[in-house]
Amino acid sequence: MSRVVRTAAAQMGPISRDETRASAAERMVALLDQAARQGANLVVFPELALTSFFPRWFMPDQADVDAFFETEMPNAATETLFARARALGIAFSFGYAEMCQHDGKLHRYNTAILVDGAGQIVDRYRKVHLPGHPEHEPWRPFQHLEKRYFDPSPFGFHAVDTLGGKIGQAICNDRRWPETYRELALAGAEMVLIGYNTPRHYPPAPKHDHLQDFHNHLSLQAGAYANGMWVIGVAKAGIEEGCDLIGGSAIVAPTGEIVVQAQTLGDEIIVADCDLDRCAEIRANIFDFAKHRRPEAYTRIAAKDAPAKG
Ligand code: CDT
């Protein structure tokens, strides 16, 4: 049986601070329709797809922060998106700011969900690697307050059975960490969906600004190759509230090759046929985990202590 997933990366252009969730969702429906016309079975949207990337603003009043969060999903703003995808039988994923209760406490996560072709949420992933800083740092031209506004996920990485294979998710900064891909590969993932919002300017190390696109693809391609899996990287791109976000959404094969890449910094669909059986090209050979992996030599990887210096 064929295990080809015709996958669309649905890059989104900027979302302004005053754009409503309903308007963002309407743009997502338009992208979904375009992907459907190209025969897609899966459409992948970016991180925090319903709002502007709000961690760039210091908001002393928690009520202003909470206004960017969703307390249920689907909700009034997204039910049209869910309904259209269900009618078309298309699976989709997108990121949003999630407020929820568990362990008797209120939590706020940077979350991505995967919805199957029948409209069921089959995976909910909360971001593990939260970048940035917890306090207001007025010297920066813009803030990156994910460490203030979100809880780091206690749930780790996982892969779910859907679309005839095993699919995993990660979010933005996760894609820079080799551990993300290896954890997902060990969970069996054959494809990883990764939305991102990446400013071109990195205030603590501005000399790397010209390398942002390179580091994006370097991470996605290395993760795909070293683990023999498909990686779908999807940007929110363009000048959003004065902040320059990189594009470069890409579908990367298990060989590490970019199969297709976005050409614009706006709303754009790119599509590729992702044959999950191609993972074996790498996993049955150079990265045959059962034959060649040496976990007994990797004990520091999961240890909590800081690594030795020098
Ligand atoms: N959204 C997100 O995780 N962005 C980060 C920006 C750099 S860290 C301040 C990223 O890794 O792309």
Side-chain angles (χ1 to χ4, degrees), residues 28-150:
M28 292 164 80
V29 170
L31 288 164
L32 188 86
D33 284 344
Q34 264 185 55
R37 285 195 289 278
Q38 295 184 55
N41 315 114
L42 168 67
V43 181
V44 184
F45 293 101
E47 173 191 36
L48 297 176
L50 301 175
T51 65
S52 206
F53 188 76
F54 63 89
R56 76 166 64 88
W57 295 300
F58 174 64
M59 292 174 271
D61 185 345
Q62 187 61 38
D64 292 334
V65 180
D66 287 349
F68 287 94
F69 281 74
E70 318 298 325
T71 52
E72 51 185 22
M73 192 56 65
N75 56 20
T78 55
E79 73 193 9
T80 316
L81 173 66
F82 276 72
R84 182 71 65 92
R86 191 171 55 242
L88 293 164
I90 295 180
F92 65 102
S93 68
F94 69 93
Y96 67 98
E98 178 195 21
M99 197 189 300
C100 61
Q101 292 271 351
H102 65 84
D103 303 334
K105 278 192 251 152
L106 185 67
H107 296 274
R108 296 176 183 82
Y109 294 115
N110 187 340
T111 295
I113 52 168
L114 173 61
V115 183
D116 70 10
Q120 294 304 311
I121 296 176
V122 291
D123 186 43
R124 181 177 269 105
Y125 167 75
R126 278 85 173 220
K127 191 172 183 175
V128 167
H129 299 100
L130 295 175
H133 47 103
E135 301 302 332
H136 187 209
E137 296 188 6
W139 65 269
R140 293 172 183 257
F142 52 86
Q143 304 295 298
H144 199 110
L145 288 160
E146 286 194 65
K147 284 202 194 297
R148 184 182 188 88
Y149 296 153
F150 297 115

Side-chain angles (χ1 to χ4, degrees), residues 151-182:
D151 300 350
S153 169
F155 303 114
F157 299 98
H158 44 268
V160 293
D161 290 298
T162 190
L163 291 158
K166 270 206 180 275
I167 313 291
Q169 299 190 91
I171 300 178
C172 196
N173 190 260
D174 290 326
R175 77 194 188 287
R176 302 181 190 275
W177 297 84
E179 293 87 346
T180 295
Y181 303 93
R182 183 51 57 87

